Amino acid sequence: MVGRSSFGDRKGVRIAVVGDGGTGKSTLIAAMASESFPDSVPPVLPPTRLPHNLYPDSVPLTLIDTPSSLEKQGTRNEELKIADAVVVTYACDEPVTFDRLGTYWLVELQRLEVKAPVVVVGCKMDLRDEDQVVSLESLTSYLMQQFTEIVTCVECSAATLYQVPEVFYFAQKAVLHPVGPLFDYERHTFTDRCLRALRRIFVLCDHDMDGTLNDEELNEFQVKCFNEGLQPTEVARVKALVDQNVPEGVNSLGLTFPGFTYVHNIFLKKGRTETFWAVLRKFGYDNDLKLRDDFLPVPSKQASDQSVELTSEAVEFLNGIFRLLDTDKDRSLRPSEVDKLFNTAPESPWNDAPYKDAAEKTDMGYITLNGFLSQWALMTLLNPPHSLANLVYIGYSGNPASALRVTRKRSVDRKKQKTERSVFQCYVFGSKNAGKSALLHSLLGRPFSSNYTPTKVEQYAANVVELIGGTKKTLILREIPEDGVLKLLSNQDCLAACDVAVFVYDSSDEYSWKKSRDLLEKVVRQGELTGYRVPCLLIAAKDDLNPYPRAVIDSAKVTQELGIEAPIHVSMKSGDSSNVYNKIVNAAEHPHLSIPETEIARKRKQNQQLLHHSLIFALVGAVVTVVGLKVSRARSVKKNFSA
C-alpha cells in the first residue's frame, strides 16, 4: 500500500548549515551545488539555490552557509530563526567537533528557541582514521535521546560525494514530511492528534459503517491517496501481515482500525513518512494535523456589525448527530459521549474557555440538546473557521460552504426595523457583585448560589429561548467584568457585534446603581460616537432585598430621559426572573427600539432635521423662483410678438 507522494503547498525549503569552523560546511554546500569536489571555497558562501527537480517532491532548496565566528554570531542567529531545517556539522577526523555538538551547538539552538528539525552530519568521512571507526548509531544514540529535535544523523564525504545528496534530502524530508506531529518518541506511539486524524480517515472510508474496511473500501482508499488500485493478491498480503502482528487488526469483514493504524506504523518504521503524509494531505491535513484553509470555505464578513450563524442544514445535521449519540433517549449526552463525538477532531473544542461551562447541563453534568445546539451557535459566533472545521471533523458530509451563513448588517436591521438573525449576543455590564454571573447561571438553569466569586475574565452563557408562538432563538450572554470595561470600549468596533446591552445593578446597593448608570452612559456615548447604537435594558437584581430608595427614583428618571424601558426587577435567589431572557430577545428582535438617546444627541438630531427641512424649503423656493422667471419671460415674449 504505497505510492508516489506529492507535496504542492510549499514554495521552497530553507536549510541553514552551522557548525565549528573547518568542519566542512562550505565545502559540503559547494559539492552539492556543483556535484564535484571544489578546489577552494570562500569562508562563507552566498545563499545557494538548488533546482526544484533534484528530489521527488519537486520543491526547491535554498542552502544557507553561516559563519562560525563569534563576531558574526548575530547574523548566524537571524538565519537560524528563519530556517525551515538546520544541518549541524562535525568533522569525522576531529572527535572534539562531535563533542561540541552536545556542549554548544544543540544547546545554542535550544537557547534561540529554534523549532526547525535538525540533521546531524559528519563531514570528511574519507579522512577518518580507520582504527577509530565506530558505528554511527552507537555514536549518536545518546545525542538523539537528549535532543529530540534531531531527526536523523548521517556521515558523508564531499571529496567522494558519498551521501552528500542524502544530507539535504533528509533535511528537506524532515520539513515536508515531519515525523514529530506523527510519533511521540517518549511514549513510543502515535501522537494523540495523529490517531484522531487516522480515525477520521478510517471512518470516512468505512462507507457501510460496519467498523471495518472491506476489500473494495481498501482499494478505494488506495486509489484516492495514490491514484492506483490494489490487486486482490496485494490486499490479501496486507491482511495476512496485519493478522500475524496485530490479530485484532483484521476480521472476517476486513481491516479494523487497529489494523489500519498498524499499516501506517509500518510506513514510519521503514522511514516512509512521505507515504504517511500523502494520505494525510489527501484528506486535507496540514503539518499541525488540522484541516487546511482550502478545505474550509468560511464565508467572510463584509462589515464588523455582521455575524456568522449555522444554516438550517447544519443545525439539522447536528440534531441528527445528537440523536445518534443519545442511545438511551434521555435528551442529554454524557461527557464520554461528547468526547466520542470529537475523537476524530484534533482535540475536543469545548474543554476550555470560553466554551467550558457555557451551556445548559443536567444535574448529572450531561449536556442537553438545547445546550448542545447553543454551544455550536456560540462557537460559530466567536470562531467561524473553528466551528466549520469541527463540523467537518465529526462527519458533516454536505458542502462545507453551505454550513455557515453571514447575517445582514445590524445597522440595516435597525433601518428595516426587523432582523433575520437566529442568534443574539447580549453584553452584560455591571459592578462587582451586582448579580451578572447569577443572570448567566440562571439562563443555563443552574441553581442560585450565595457564594460570591468575582469575575476576572469574560464569561459566556448560551441557551435556547422559546418565545410566544413557539419560535426559538439562541441567546448568548457575554459577561463583561467591571475592570474590563475600559479595555473593551477602547476598541472602536466593540459594540458592532452586540445586539443588546444590559446593565445589572444590585437594587439594594447605592454604589452598584451609580456604577451601572455610569456604565450605561459610557456605552451610550460610545454608540453615538461610533454609530453602533444598541438597544439597552436596565436590570434591577436582588429584588428580594430592601431597595436603595434613591435608585428607584433615579432609575425611573434615567430611563425616561434616555427613552428606554423601565428597569426589569429580578431575584435569582427567589427564582423570579420576570421573563427577563424573553425581554432581552424581544429587544434584539426589534433593533430600532430601546435605543437610548442623550440630550446632546437629541438636539443634534433636531438640528439635522431642521437643517434638512430648511434645505427642502430653500430648494422649493428656488424652484418656484425659476418657474416664475420662466413664466414671466414667456409672457414678455408673447407680448412683444403680439405687438
Side-chain angles (χ1 to χ4, degrees), residues 74 239 606:
K239 290 199 287 189
Q606 291 172 350

Side-chain angles (χ1 to χ4, degrees), residues 50-161:
L50 302 180
H52 69 87
N53 59 353
L54 192 63
Y55 298 118
D57 285 304
S58 297
V59 176
L61 272 66
T62 301
L63 310 183
I64 305 298
D65 195 7
T66 61
S68 303
S69 62
L70 289 175
E71 294 78 12
K72 297 184 178 181
Q73 186 177 21
T75 302
R76 183 181 69 234
N77 291 348
E78 289 303 314
E79 289 292 353
L80 287 170
K81 289 178 181 178
I82 61 174
D84 297 311
V86 178
V87 168
V88 185
T89 63
Y90 67 94
C92 292
D93 61 334
E94 296 182 49
V96 66
T97 61
F98 178 83
D99 296 337
R100 288 258 300 162
L101 297 179
T103 59
Y104 178 73
W105 286 108
L106 295 169
V107 175
E108 181 70 359
L109 293 179
Q110 290 183 341
R111 186 186 69 81
L112 294 172
E113 297 183 350
V114 174
K115 303 300 182 185
V118 175
V119 176
V120 171
V121 178
C123 299
K124 306 183 182 182
M125 185 179 178
D126 57 297
L127 298 181
R128 182 166 53 197
D129 187 346
E130 293 183 2
D131 295 333
Q132 297 180 353
V133 174
V134 293
S135 73
L136 182 62
E137 183 179 354
S138 61
L139 185 67
T140 59
S141 59
Y142 176 74
L143 202 64
M144 293 186 73
Q145 290 176 6
Q146 187 178 1
F147 300 96
T148 55
E149 59 270 29
I150 300 174
V151 293
T152 192
C153 301
V154 61
E155 292 182 336
C156 67
S157 169
T160 64
L161 299 183

Side-chain angles (χ1 to χ4, degrees), residues 429-440:
F429 296 95
S431 67
K432 295 174 182 176
N433 204 18
K436 302 188 299 296
S437 297
L439 185 72
L440 270 70

Side-chain angles (χ1 to χ4, degrees), residues 568-642:
I568 304 169
H569 290 263
V570 301
S571 172
M572 298 309 173
K573 183 177 182 179
S574 302
D576 180 13
S577 66
S578 297
N579 216 21
V580 65
Y581 307 113
N582 290 68
K583 292 177 181 178
I584 293 173
V585 171
N586 183 65
E589 285 196 304
H590 301 85
H592 60 296
L593 303 177
S594 301
I595 296 181
E597 194 172 46
T598 62
E599 186 64 28
I600 296 174
R602 197 175 291 115
K603 287 181 179 179
R604 188 187 302 120
K605 184 177 179 180
Q606 291 172 350
N607 291 336
Q608 288 174 343
Q609 290 175 340
L610 184 61
L611 178 61
H612 180 67
H613 292 151
S614 299
L615 288 172
I616 291 176
F617 288 140
L619 182 61
V620 171
V623 170
V624 170
T625 301
V626 170
V627 171
L629 286 172
K630 287 185 177 181
V631 171
S632 178
R633 286 175 182 172
R635 287 176 177 173
S636 177
V637 169
K638 184 177 181 181
K639 184 178 181 181
N640 292 336
F641 181 76
S642 299

